[in-house]
Amino acid sequence: MRAAVCAEHGGPGVVRVEDVPSPELVPGHVRVRVGAAAVNFPDVLVITDRYQVSVPTPFVPGSEFAGVVAAVGEGVDRVRVGDRVMGSAIVGGFAQEVVVAAAALRRVPDGVTDRVAAAFGVAHRTAFHVLRSVARVQPGEELIVLGAGGGVGLAAVQLGAHLGATVTAVASSSAKLEAAAAHGATNLIDHRSTEASGGLRGALRGVLSDGADVVVDPVGGDLSEPALRALRWGGRFVTVGYASGTIPHIPLNLVLLKGCQVLGFEFLSFATHEPEAMARNEAELLALLAAGTVVPHIGVVFPLEDVADALQLVADGQAVGKVVIDITGDDS
Ligand SMILES: NC(=O)c1ccc[n+]([C@@H]2O[C@H](COP(=O)([O-])OP(=O)(O)OC[C@H]3O[C@@H](n4cnc5c(N)ncnc54)[C@H](OP(=O)(O)O)[C@@H]3O)[C@@H](O)[C@H]2O)c1
């Protein structure tokens, strides 16, 4: 099969597309013929060996995908050959075939293409768990989303608006802010041009004179503190990731003065500690996809042979919404 291969850890340029044997099918696992995969920022962290789990080389990167069940291993009764499925794994998705645990797969709702199904994975699930169970966003609340044009950020904009919040999107380009507006953001702030307003802090105060209820932060770095300062009394700040490459250090007196809560979300920990909330949220989210109420924004589609360019786009923080890898050339 054709597959992206990371033979040594490094930047996106180390990933080559080669002919490799299909992975072995083992009990409890399923072989999926992949139609489309999607790129997440953690894929960049895995190939550069900066992810929380180190994956030994050589390996096939790719953490989310959609396709058709080609074979099932011993003991699998959740899915059958021919079922359309979507799933996630730490690696393996940027290939014509992937073998994953049956529990990692969900059915693709009728009428949803492989590209859309692949793009509706990690980012939307992360954003929904954050909004629904961690921040507990309520209708009418003011929500600030940092990195609002990226995968998690744009999903948080869409889902925050769906939950009835008024969304202030913070991003670095007009293309990202246009996408955020198209998916429900009301206030748009380009953090690269806030000098005249007194920086991000002043720009946020300009649109949110009474402050915000919630901040969702997948970026970190210099944006986190001014966003936290924009919270009103009792607000909630959720740290989700550090795409900027910098883990921010927040003065604790801000938390004291605002009576606010600083909360965190990490997927595997949430799955371990909050299995019931996770199952409920995932069912609600799948229903939104099936109904066409929330459809992921696919900014660009690359063929498998150009997977290194796709990873580079995400590594550079230039992606608008989701970057999809088309494996079969057939978007049905
Ligand atoms: N906690 C969890 O369970 C969980 C789950 C999924 C993802 N994450 C994390 O969430 C973060 C966002 O993931 P994503 O898939 O949404 O990524 P993404 O699509 O690449 O978006 C990241 C955004 O971060 C901003 N950014 C600022 N400096 C950057 C830099 N040096 N390189 C790249 N981006 C930069 C960019 O927004 P602007 O240009 O607008 O500033 C970019 O749009 C990552 O850190 C990821 O690891 C965490």
Side-chain angles (χ1 to χ4, degrees):
M1 67 170 187
R2 297 294 283 169
V5 176
C6 181
E8 54 184 305
H9 291 121
V14 303
V15 177
R16 303 274 153 81
V17 178
E18 297 172 4
D19 289 319
V20 299
S22 193
E24 190 191 343
L25 185 60
V26 290
H29 285 59
V30 175
R31 184 189 307 286
V32 177
R33 195 173 312 119
V34 181
V39 184
N40 284 290
F41 195 83
D43 298 325
V44 177
L45 300 177
V46 170
I47 61 168
T48 52
D49 205 17
R50 288 182 293 137
Y51 191 59
Q52 51 198 275
V53 177
S54 180
V55 180
T57 57
F59 64 88
V60 174
S63 54
E64 62 185 359
F65 53 84
V68 178
V69 173
V72 297
E74 200 185 312
V76 172
D77 53 13
R78 263 173 82 103
V79 292
R80 292 188 197 164
V81 171
D83 283 351
R84 296 189 60 229
V85 290
M86 52 193 186
S88 55
I90 293 179
V91 292
F94 299 157
Q96 288 179 317
E97 293 190 343
V98 60
V99 170
V100 287
L105 295 173
R106 298 171 298 154
R107 299 281 174 89
V108 175
D110 289 344
V112 174
T113 66
D114 282 349
R115 291 182 188 181
V116 168
F120 195 76
V122 177
H124 279 77
R125 292 165 75 197
T126 297
F128 199 54
H129 296 312
V130 164
L131 294 168
R132 184 82 166 77
S133 292
V134 183
R136 297 172 188 249
V137 166
Q138 301 300 313
E141 288 196 317
E142 294 284 353
L143 166 67
I144 296 172
V145 178
L146 304 181
V152 172
L154 197 48
V157 169
Q158 279 186 302
L159 292 164
H162 170 74
L163 292 171
T166 302
V167 181
T168 296
V170 178
S172 65
S173 72
S174 51
K176 289 178 176 179
L177 290 169
E178 277 165 24
H183 289 286
T186 303
N187 303 312
L188 309 174
I189 296 178
D190 185 335
H191 66 81
R192 301 228 166 132
S193 49
T194 53
E195 255 175 50
S197 340
L200 179 57
R201 186 180 174 186
L204 286 169
R205 199 181 293 133
V207 294
L208 295 166
S209 51
D210 292 333
D213 299 286
V214 173
V215 173
V216 171
D217 178 10
V219 180
D222 295 340
L223 302 184
S224 303
E225 185 176 325
L228 188 141
R229 285 180 184 274
L231 284 175
R232 60 169 64 131
W233 170 258
R236 290 95 76 201
F237 180 102
V238 189
T239 178
V240 183
Y242 312 101
S244 66
T246 305
I247 298 172
H249 294 260
I250 302 287
L252 265 188
N253 66 315
L254 293 179
V255 179
L256 178 150
L257 290 169
K258 290 187 168 292
C260 64
Q261 298 175 54
V262 178
L263 303 156
F265 174 84
E266 193 278 316
F267 218 103
L268 295 177
S269 310
F270 186 73
T272 304
H273 296 287
E274 305 278 353
E276 285 168 14
M278 178 160 239
R280 178 205 61 195
N281 295 352
E282 302 259 325
E284 288 180 6
L285 194 56
L286 208 53
L288 293 176
L289 176 67
T293 309
V294 176
V295 177
H297 182 100
I298 296 175
V300 59
V301 179
F302 287 88
L304 177 61
E305 300 296 320
D306 294 341
V307 65
D309 294 339
L311 284 159
Q312 190 65 58
L313 193 73
V314 173
D316 292 342
Q318 296 303 311
V320 180
K322 295 297 297 180
V323 173
V324 165
I325 310 291
D326 179 23
I327 309 286
T328 57
D330 172 19
D331 184 31
S332 57

